Amino acid sequence: MAQFTVHDETTAPEAARPHLEAGRARLGFVSSLNAVMAESPELLAGYNALAEQFTKSSLPAKAKQVVLITVSVVNGCEYCVAAHSTVALKAGVDEGTVQALRAGKPVSDETLEAVRRFTERVVTDRGWVEEQEVEAFLAAGLTRRHVLDVVLGVGMKTLSNYTNHIAHTPLDPAWQGQEWKRP
């Protein structure tokens, strides 16, 4: 198995160091994900730029968490499910919703369920989502802009999910309370 370095601000390529420092400022620590991505400063910069844009997107805060967990569950990313479950709970997403998302099950909130289902379809259908799925998403009170914001979140999470699959990124202590194993 190829070993990937979990960098810090002293071992990372020079171009990656400002991104690691920004991550430390944001989270209070350098995540293992960012530390692994640092091997490619361009990947790290791109991922962080997409994450920043997704944070600014028009999706409601809880819906953003639904997108991030759903993509990670569908892609089987143990690291990201744990990380985003932790973040979602801190962001006020209720425990029942987080547990349902982690199990790939419907959630009770109608709008969040529409986001979950649509996100799942985007990932599993590789973007070839049936028109009735788009219409169901819109009928739940979401917008065309939200459709595209989901695409942004899927793209961002796909970068991290795939990185974690390939690099076997170790789980940070901050996420260990929400450890998840893919079925």
Side-chain angles (χ1 to χ4, degrees):
M1 177 171 78
Q3 295 292 317
F4 285 81
T5 302
V6 179
H7 288 284
D8 62 28
E9 296 97 331
T10 64
T11 64
E14 189 67 38
R17 292 177 185 179
H19 299 288
L20 293 179
E21 291 165 6
R24 181 182 297 284
R26 220 174 24 257
L27 291 174
F29 63 96
V30 173
S31 71
S32 296
L33 171 63
N34 276 204
V36 168
M37 284 182 165
E39 188 72 28
S40 169
E42 297 78 14
L43 173 61
L44 179 57
Y47 175 76
N48 286 340
L50 288 175
E52 180 181 345
Q53 293 306 307
F54 186 65
T55 299
K56 294 176 183 178
S57 77
S58 69
L59 281 169
K62 290 180 181 180
K64 289 174 187 161
Q65 298 304 318
V66 170
V67 170
L68 300 175
I69 295 171
T70 301
V71 174
S72 299
V73 166
V74 173
N75 283 334
C77 185
E78 295 174 357
Y79 181 97
C80 286
V81 171
H84 291 295
S85 296
T86 303
V87 172
L89 290 166
K90 288 181 181 176
V93 178
D94 69 87
E95 177 79 28
T97 297
V98 171
Q99 290 308 316
L101 293 169
R102 289 165 58 95
K105 304 284 186 203
V107 299
S108 60
D109 180 282
E110 195 173 296
T111 302
L112 295 181
E113 174 56 19
V115 172
R116 184 201 67 81
R117 196 170 90 223
F118 183 73
T119 301
E120 183 178 78
R121 298 295 355 136
V122 170
V123 177
T124 59
D125 297 344
R126 295 175 290 167
W128 294 104
V129 179
E130 297 285 334
E131 187 61 32
Q132 70 254 21
E133 293 292 342
V134 176
E135 292 301 327
F137 183 82
L138 297 172
L142 296 148
T143 68
R144 285 171 178 75
R145 181 175 177 181
H146 291 137
V147 167
L148 299 176
D149 289 342
V150 168
V151 172
L152 172 62
V154 169
M156 188 246 321
K157 271 298 91 189
T158 300
L159 288 174
S160 62
N161 293 168
Y162 288 9
T163 297
N164 292 327
H165 296 329
I166 293 166
H168 305 282
T169 307
L171 192 62
D172 295 294
W175 318 136
Q176 288 179 352
Q178 290 298 318
E179 192 169 2
W180 180 83
K181 296 290 181 194
R182 64 189 171 103

